Amino acid sequence: MASDTGRKQFWKRNVAKVPGRCVTGDMSGKGQLSMTSLSGAVSAGGSAVRFGAEDVPIQHVYGAQHPPFDPLLHGTLSKTVQKTQTTPVKLKKVSTFQEFESNTSDAWDVGEDDDELMAMAAENLNTEVVMETANKVIQNHTKLQEQNKFQETQQLEDRPVRLEELPSYINSDSKIVKSASESQIPNPSGERPSLQRQQSVPHQPSAIPMGKSSDQVCLNTAGLSEREAFRLEKFKQLLAGPNTDLDELRKLSWSGIPKPVRSITWKLLSGYLPANVERRDGTLKRKQKEYFAFIEQYYNSRNDEANQSTYRQIHIDIPRMSPETLILQPVVTEIFERILFIWAIRHPASGYVQGINDLVTPFFVVFIGEHVAEEEELENVDVSSLPEEVLRNIEADSYWCMSKLLDGIQDNYTFAQPGIQKKVKMLEELVSRIDEQVHRHLHQYEVEYLQFAFRWMNNLLMREVPLRCTIRLWDTYQSEPEGFSHFHLYVCAAFLVRWRREILEEKDFHGLLILLQNLPTVHWENEDISVLLAEAYRLKFAFADAPNHYKK
């Protein structure tokens, strides 16, 4: 009886800990477990507990023991029976590589028996066959490379084909040259290959520059590098659209403009021509007509007392310009006299100032180059051989583009030229920060910046570098916001520091001044200008947005 009483007390104390217990749902809501029904009702695998008149199944918990295991009473059982886990564990599906392989079929399966596969893998290849095949591959690759080099340097002539049949380059002799990738593919039947070649740039019809006939647009790209040909194609595609994206055109032009599209690009970047293609012809005709109306209105007054001194100064300055072989032609001299005189009359705030005459030359040379053979030296061109209508258009275009340029730097040429004075002072401050040694050296020998930099600002470095370099420089100037007025300052700073070794070697005033007024740039090419522009851009990036940074 004592043991029964103790067992009942045990269940009463631990009723809440019984795994899988069910609580009676009596009306009192207390949820008490009926102790009388529990007595003798729980077995080792107990399946039910009778509550009142109803059997309620016991909900098993994984690993539970009914009744709870007492290690004191069942000590021997614990030694022989493996202890089950007391925490719920989710069974994982066993998956091995062998099971995956047996359930998967792929192209490498030879069959259910793997012996065949192992035998194939163990089979040794003939060494002679391997070496012979490798040598053939190397020889074929070498031949293809030699063919590529030969075709890049030599112009290949082939049978006439239609332009739409294959992308080709057209040289100045109107001969069609196949691309290197196509000429490598032999096709004895004469039929076109079924597969189209990949091209880095889609072949699209390109716009013909204004005033240029279709046969003049034909380009001899055999002499162009791959990069130059690619850039030219990008320019042509950009200019071919109905509305030219001027922001994209400026980005593309910063690194230089190919000669065949330089004329139309300069007219667009200077704001002379509109971006809309349909409006360009009308704009050109209207502006050209307007210019020659100025000629009729003002040019006859050049010998009047009020204008005589202006015209006389222009007449004196033009023969001093370069290139002399081009400028001294009577036709060219007359064109420059009209352009400069009309501008001076229409801009009385500044009038004509020495230095403005140099600013016409790059525009005139670029627009002349649109109508002459690409290989012909512009300095030796007989301008009088060009049609009169072409010369009239070139004259009007040069006038309007020069006017657009001077609109941004007109304070350089007003009374006392305050714009130049200010820029020379800013150049001095900038050089003192970027190369103090050069700055101190110039001051040590009493060389003033105004003595050499005034001409740099007045002529935009045209007297310091060859004309071909000036044209390349202006490609970037027209691509930069305020290129002629603002970016030019950083170009001058980079240009001065470029000669620091030569400057520091000079130990007297006269030697320094002669050097700075006659810098050895006669052999400079576009690559030298590109390096100069890169350094100028670095300086602009460092100082332009922080003007107080370079002020002491």
Side-chain angles (χ1 to χ4, degrees), residues 209-210 235 239 244 246 249-250 253-274 280 284 358-370 378 397-398 400-402 404-405 462 467-479 484:
M210 305 301 297
F235 269 96
L239 296 170
T244 303
L246 295 181
L249 186 63
R250 288 189 183 94
S253 302
W254 203 98
S255 301
I257 303 171
K259 183 178 178 181
V261 294
R262 179 174 278 134
S263 175
I264 181 68
T265 303
W266 275 26
K267 292 174 185 177
L268 287 167
L269 293 180
S270 65
Y272 174 44
L273 282 183
R280 290 177 190 170
L284 281 175
D358 284 328
L359 306 184
V360 184
T361 307
F363 292 112
F364 183 79
V365 170
V366 167
F367 298 157
I368 282 283
E370 188 180 8
L378 291 174
D397 295 345
S398 300
W400 287 114
C401 288
M402 184 200 72
K404 291 286 186 181
L405 186 160
M462 284 193 61
L467 180 59
R468 61 182 179 275
C469 295
T470 298
I471 292 173
R472 168 63 190 90
L473 190 64
W474 283 26
D475 287 346
T476 301
Y477 279 2
Q478 297 197 75
S479 306
F484 292 98

Side-chain angles (χ1 to χ4, degrees), residues 38-67:
L38 269 174
S39 57
V42 179
S43 62
S47 60
V49 178
R50 179 175 297 274
F51 291 93
E54 183 180 5
D55 290 337
V56 179
I58 292 179
Q59 298 180 6
H60 297 274
V61 175
Y62 181 78
Q65 298 173 351
H66 306 283

